[in-house]
Amino acid sequence: MSTHKKIDAETLDNLLYLSRLSPESTNLSILKKQVDEIVGYFELLSKYDDSENPYDAYPSTQAELLRDDSVVHGLDVPDVKNVSEHFMDGYFQVPKVLGEGA
């Protein structure tokens, strides 16, 4: 049996307002039971220790292992033209993505 505090009518009315639900279109007794169960789940989760740093789960990056910031020669325009046949006036022609059909 759950021991958490049940939500009251005022809290339920506030939840209905925030979720844009109307009391007429919602079975309030079912909704109240569901919200009470959700609150119970949060109380169950709050019993677990969350004191560890969540960022420890991700690998760290050491700055000295990254590549050097050095300027290198890029591609020349004649070489870029060979990459695609849709290269004109210094730009690649790509399919239209904005406008009609987007």
Side-chain angles (χ1 to χ4, degrees):
M1 190 85 197
S2 62
T3 60
H4 67 275
K5 181 180 175 184
K6 304 287 186 184
I7 64 165
D8 57 358
E10 180 183 356
T11 305
L12 187 61
D13 287 339
N14 290 338
L15 287 173
L16 286 172
Y17 174 76
L18 290 172
S19 62
R20 304 296 190 249
L21 294 173
S22 64
E24 296 83 23
S25 67
T26 306
N27 186 334
L28 294 180
S29 61
I30 293 175
L31 181 66
K32 183 178 182 330
K33 180 182 175 206
Q34 291 172 340
V35 171
D36 282 335
E37 288 175 0
I38 292 170
V39 170
Y41 293 139
F42 280 107
E43 289 186 0
L44 177 70
L45 290 173
S46 68
K47 293 179 183 178
Y48 293 96
D49 180 29
D50 62 349
S51 61
E52 71 178 41
N53 186 352
Y55 297 107
D56 289 342
Y58 303 103
S60 62
T61 303
Q62 296 175 352
E64 61 272 3
L65 299 179
L66 299 177
R67 65 177 171 82
D68 294 331
D69 284 334
S70 58
V71 178
V72 295
H73 182 69
L75 295 174
D76 292 324
V77 174
D79 295 333
V80 174
K81 286 183 182 179
N82 294 333
V83 173
S84 172
E85 60 187 40
H86 302 289
F87 187 80
M88 186 171 65
D89 296 332
Y91 297 98
F92 286 103
Q93 182 183 7
V94 296
K96 185 176 181 179
V97 294
L98 298 176
E100 294 181 21

